[in-house]
Amino acid sequence: MTKSILLINGPNLNLLGTREPETYGSQTLQDVEALCREHAQSKGIELTAIQSNHEGEIVEAVQNSKGVYTHLIMNPGAYTHTSIAIRDAITGVDAKVYEVHISNIHEREAFRHHSYIEDVAQASFVGLGVPGYIAAIDAIAAA
Ligand code: CA2
């Protein structure tokens, strides 16, 4: 089956490259999306990227991915630690989900240690920086 990826970045990730470079690096969201698109393309996979600061929009993006995308790469941002709604949306689609966090959530504040997404995802790439997105694409290409 032809693979296709929807990359979903959640709240505040539109600020990448503008603040907190020690935690999130210096690449902008546009840089990250372009890098991911090009890397996926080099593997023969089409990748579409979206970002939203709104939980409901992310839920709808996951729901609407049904039958359109074979794989989702998601960095749900802070919703990782709070959103049963995003988790439930994931369990409602057939697409395989790969979770990415730029920072190492397990080495940060206790409230970031739990992920509602982790156990409904195929794999999680945590604390690898932006290369975590590339690792997720490689995992999908190899699957
Ligand atoms: O490490 C990650 O990728 C996170 O998903 C990022 C979220 C955070 O709430 C999660 O615990 C871990 C926050 C994204 C905020 O992104 C910014 C980027 C630059 C400047 C300010 C915020």
Side-chain angles (χ1 to χ4, degrees):
M1 188 206 266
T2 308
K3 293 172 184 168
S4 55
I5 300 173
L6 178 63
L7 168 63
I8 304 176
N9 278 296
N12 293 308
L13 287 155
N14 55 312
L15 299 177
L16 278 178
T18 67
R19 291 195 281 122
E20 301 184 47
E22 62 291 348
T23 307
Y24 299 115
S26 53
Q27 287 165 290
T28 66
L29 179 65
Q30 287 66 34
D31 293 337
V32 173
E33 290 177 346
L35 194 70
C36 289
R37 243 188 324 268
E38 284 158 23
H39 190 71
Q41 198 68 58
S42 77
K43 304 276 177 187
I45 304 173
E46 193 173 330
L47 180 147
T48 302
I50 61 165
Q51 185 274 333
S52 176
N53 292 321
H54 305 278
E55 186 176 19
E57 279 184 10
I58 296 172
V59 168
E60 285 172 1
V62 173
Q63 289 179 0
N64 294 337
S65 73
K66 201 166 185 162
V68 182
Y69 298 96
T70 58
H71 295 79
L72 308 183
I73 298 175
M74 292 190 73
N75 182 348
Y79 289 141
T80 305
H81 320 297
T82 63
S83 183
I84 299 169
I86 292 175
R87 177 201 170 87
D88 286 348
I90 289 171
T91 61
V93 295
D94 297 329
K96 295 193 176 7
V97 175
Y98 291 71
E99 177 186 19
V100 173
H101 297 289
I102 296 170
S103 66
N104 187 342
I105 55 176
H106 302 295
E107 287 184 348
R108 299 183 64 189
E109 304 95 323
F111 60 80
R112 296 186 203 273
H113 293 183
H114 178 256
S115 166
Y116 278 105
I117 310 304
E118 194 177 62
D119 66 314
V120 292
Q122 294 296 306
S124 300
F125 299 88
V126 172
L128 299 176
V130 169
Y133 291 96
I134 300 300
I137 294 168
D138 286 341
I140 291 167

